Amino acid sequence: MGEILDLVEARLRTALGEPDARAGVTFLGTDRIEVLRFIDGDVVRYATLGMSAQPMADPASPLADPVKGPRAELVLSVRLGLADTDQVLRPLAVLAASPQVEGVIVAPGASLDLGQPLWTGAPFDSVLVAEPGGLVEDLELDAPMEPVCFLPLLPMTRNEAAWKRVRGAQELQERWLSQGTDLRDPLRASVALD
């Protein structure tokens, strides 16, 4: 487990540079989840470290395979200095622990709901899981282990989350794109929805 996390942290450092801060959270009955903060110009990126230590298990399966199964870490990017986004550390750790706690598989297109703002005053209390491979490349592991995917998180307002449940992730992402939505803006309003 430690070996995998060392490789994951090395991949994050290669892609994002040196973290300028890190925090760790442990929930009852789970492994420790760390959140690393990286500053890149006017963007701050938060990446989880620890979610990929164990493969995510299908909740319908009676036994969790200790080796096979998808592995992932979460990455959130927001504009620096517009809001106190460092408060997102604990919510991100909660999301990263959800496969262990709730037995869910976090995959692209999924919504992850916190039931509270990502940080004080944030217009977002859920995120859309986007496709991996853009910012941080997948980390290949020795077979039969699956690669670690670095899944970008896109903050959603309540209206966007409700619209996504009805129309789907693809349509929401197309709406954001067509209206030039700055998904890194920590203060942005909901995109216009019909």
Side-chain angles (χ1 to χ4, degrees):
M1 178 174 84
E3 221 174 89
I4 291 172
L5 295 184
D6 289 344
L7 293 171
V8 168
E9 184 168 353
R11 175 59 52 97
L12 286 168
R13 288 172 184 265
T14 299
L16 304 177
E18 286 299 311
D20 76 324
R22 68 193 305 145
V25 181
T26 305
F27 303 100
L28 187 62
T30 67
D31 296 325
R32 179 179 174 86
I33 302 287
E34 291 192 314
V35 180
L36 283 59
R37 184 179 71 183
F38 301 86
I39 306 291
D40 180 15
D42 68 340
V43 174
V44 59
R45 302 185 199 285
Y46 302 96
T48 63
L49 179 63
M51 182 178 172
S52 62
Q54 304 294 329
M56 292 181 273
D58 182 346
S61 176
L63 293 175
D65 190 312
V67 178
K68 294 181 184 176
R71 294 174 190 260
E73 296 291 352
L74 307 175
V75 180
L76 174 71
S77 300
V78 291
R79 297 238 175 268
L80 186 62
L82 300 177
D84 187 7
T85 57
D86 281 351
Q87 295 176 26
V88 80
L89 299 175
R90 184 169 178 78
L92 270 182
V94 168
L95 295 177
S98 62
Q100 288 183 59
V101 174
E102 300 170 23
V104 297
I105 294 180
V106 177
S111 298
L112 302 177
D113 191 350
L114 282 161
Q116 66 183 32
L118 289 174
W119 54 84
T120 302
F124 322 106
D125 55 8
S126 63
V127 293
L128 175 65
V129 181
E131 292 290 333
L135 187 60
V136 184
E137 287 183 33
D138 293 354
L139 172 66
E140 297 292 330
L141 300 174
D142 293 337
M145 292 186 285
E146 293 184 29
V148 176
C149 297
F150 297 87
L151 301 170
L153 300 180
L154 309 175
M156 293 189 293
T157 65
R158 284 194 176 120
N159 287 345
E160 290 168 342
W163 200 77
K164 183 256 175 197
R165 281 191 293 275
V166 174
R167 305 289 285 270
Q170 184 65 36
E171 284 200 37
L172 178 58
Q173 288 178 303
E174 287 171 7
R175 179 60 58 107
W176 282 334
L177 189 60
S178 70
Q179 298 197 16
T181 306
D182 181 1
L183 297 173
R184 294 179 180 168
D185 181 352
L187 303 174
R188 75 172 179 84
S190 183
V191 72
L193 305 167
D194 51 18

